[in-house]
């Protein structure tokens, strides 16, 4: 005794339908998986140096940008001109983008100078003494794609303060920080500026570098190293070249076999 085949929807796809569904999904999933390329961590630093009493011909504010420790940008406050240095700087010489940094860098330099002069008036009694303040804005992107920013501050070359913009927490670093406790870590307006710059501007700058990282590597990495990198990428992506055809073949065969029953 035979029963007629049910043709209505049962809530479970047929064998052929399941095969077609897998054939549709597998290329999408495989492409997304295989296209992910590990580039490694990436860091962008903007290093400030502010002098309370500069010598003749010496700028009161200098800013140096670095990508993974390589210099790419130099700016003197008030000059209205961003200077690109090194191979990274030459490759990232996108005037329309990088000149937008000038306003932010200028604002930071001015605020740091005001703060430095207030601190000098309070802590330095000798009129001939000069005080320098170094600030470092660091944005880092990990291999997982998460980006975070942080600040470091030093006076006369000695580390005194750390600032985490995500939780707005200051850390006073002994022994140098003991003398300057309460100078930076109690300034709410400064806190807002540091948070806005680290979580907004710096992350946008880092994203720009990330999007053009492959282009930068093409001109900055020596040919021998570049070939090794290309080989490494091919080795890392290699499994996808055989997993995808295998899974696709299995999906098609499963659809045919189940559909014939």
């Amino acid at each position: 005794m035979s029963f007629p085949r049910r043709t209505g929807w049962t809530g479970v796809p047929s064998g052929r339908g399941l095969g077609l569904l897998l054939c549709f999904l597998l290329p999408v999933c495989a492409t997304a998986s295989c296209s992910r390329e590990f580039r490694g961590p990436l860091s962008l630093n903007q290093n400030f140096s502010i002098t309370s009493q500069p010598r003749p011909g010496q700028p009161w504010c200098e800013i140096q940008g670095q990508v993974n420790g390589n210099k790419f940008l130099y700016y003197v406050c008030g000059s209205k001109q961003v200077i690109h240095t090194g191979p990274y700087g030459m490759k990232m010489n996108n005037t329309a983008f990088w000149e937008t940094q000038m306003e932010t860098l200028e604002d930071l330099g001015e605020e740091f100078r005001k703060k430095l002069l207030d601190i000098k008036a309070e802590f330095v009694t000798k009129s001939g003494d000069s005080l320098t303040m170094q600030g470092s804005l660091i944005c880092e992107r990990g291999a997982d794609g998460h980006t975070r920013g942080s600040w470091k501050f030093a006076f006369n070359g000695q580390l005194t303060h750390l600032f985490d913009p995500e939780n707005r927490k200051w850390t006073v670093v002994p022994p140098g920080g003991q003398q300057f406790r309460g100078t930076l870590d109690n300034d709410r307006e400064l806190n807002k500026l540091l948070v806005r710059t680290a979580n907004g501007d710096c992350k946008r700058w880092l994203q720009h570098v990330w999007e053009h990282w492959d282009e930068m590597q093409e001109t900055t990495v020596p040919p021998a190293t570049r070939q090794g990198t290309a080989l490494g990428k091919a080795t890392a992506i290699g499994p996808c070249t055989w997993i995808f055809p295998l899974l696709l073949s299995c999906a098609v065969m499963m659809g045919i076999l189940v559909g014939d029953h």
Side-chain angles (χ1 to χ4, degrees), residues 12-13 39 49 57 70 78 92 98 103 123 127 157 166 176 196 199 230:
V12 179
R39 300 181 184 179
S49 180
N70 298 287
M92 291 193 294
W98 292 108
E103 184 177 353
F123 290 92
S127 59
E166 291 190 0
R196 185 173 68 249
N199 293 341

Side-chain angles (χ1 to χ4, degrees), residues 228-246:
T229 303
L231 179 61
K233 292 179 181 178
T235 303
I237 299 176
C240 295
T241 60
W242 60 267
I243 290 176
F244 170 63
L246 177 62

Side-chain angles (χ1 to χ4, degrees), residues 206-219:
L206 185 63
Q207 180 63 28
H208 179 81
V209 175
W210 179 262
E211 292 172 356
H212 295 80
W213 187 244
D214 290 339
E215 302 172 17
M216 293 166 57
Q217 293 296 89
E218 289 176 3
T219 57

